[in-house]
Amino acid sequence: MSVPDSLRTVVAVAVYWTAIALGGSVLLPDPTSPLAAVPILGGGAVVAHAARTGRLVELGYAVGTMWLAVLALSVGTGVVDVFVLPAGEIAPLAGYPGVAAIGTVGLFGVLLVAYAAFARRTAARDADE
């Protein structure tokens, strides 16, 4: 049984947009913060561009790259908390508004840069063929 391309595109768009919204807002202490608009609206714009231009595969790689950045932030925070800070002192990144804002915008920036790089790489590869 074959799945229509339009259904496949709709599912991919929903999955990627959800992954961007969740990953981009992971550092926000309050999910109703106005800063949540960056990954939600920005992610929607990037997903719409990818769907319109046929670059959903490249967007998938970019979303994976953004989640690797989320993982690196989590591991880095844990290492700093265990090895650098005094014993018993826990300092979550999301507790600081400045760090949450920089992190949210930074994660969205990682997504944009990765998407542009993967799209450029695919365009160069297609031009060589």
Side-chain angles (χ1 to χ4, degrees), residues 36-97:
V38 172
I40 293 171
L41 297 178
V46 173
V47 170
H49 179 269
R52 195 172 48 252
T53 60
R55 300 273 187 212
L56 286 173
V57 172
E58 291 82 357
L59 179 63
Y61 289 129
V63 169
T65 303
M66 183 190 75
W67 274 97
L68 283 174
V70 169
L71 177 64
L73 277 171
S74 299
V75 170
T77 302
V79 167
V80 166
D81 187 41
V82 170
F83 294 111
V84 176
L85 295 176
E89 187 175 322
I90 297 175
L93 281 179
Y96 302 108

Side-chain angles (χ1 to χ4, degrees), residues 112-127:
L112 288 178
V113 169
Y115 176 60
F118 286 119
R120 187 176 305 120
R121 181 176 148 215
T122 301
R125 186 183 64 218
D126 290 345

Side-chain angles (χ1 to χ4, degrees), residues 6-62:
S6 60
L7 179 61
R8 201 175 293 167
T9 300
V10 167
V11 170
V13 163
V15 168
Y16 290 151
W17 196 2
T18 302
I20 292 168
L22 291 175
S25 62
V26 74
L27 292 175
L28 295 176
D30 179 17
T32 61
S33 167
L35 197 55
V38 172
I40 293 171
L41 297 178
V46 173
V47 170
H49 179 269
R52 195 172 48 252
T53 60
R55 300 273 187 212
L56 286 173
V57 172
E58 291 82 357
L59 179 63
Y61 289 129

Side-chain angles (χ1 to χ4, degrees), residues 89-111:
E89 187 175 322
I90 297 175
L93 281 179
Y96 302 108
V99 172
I102 291 169
T104 300
V105 173
L107 286 172
F108 187 69
V110 166
L111 174 77

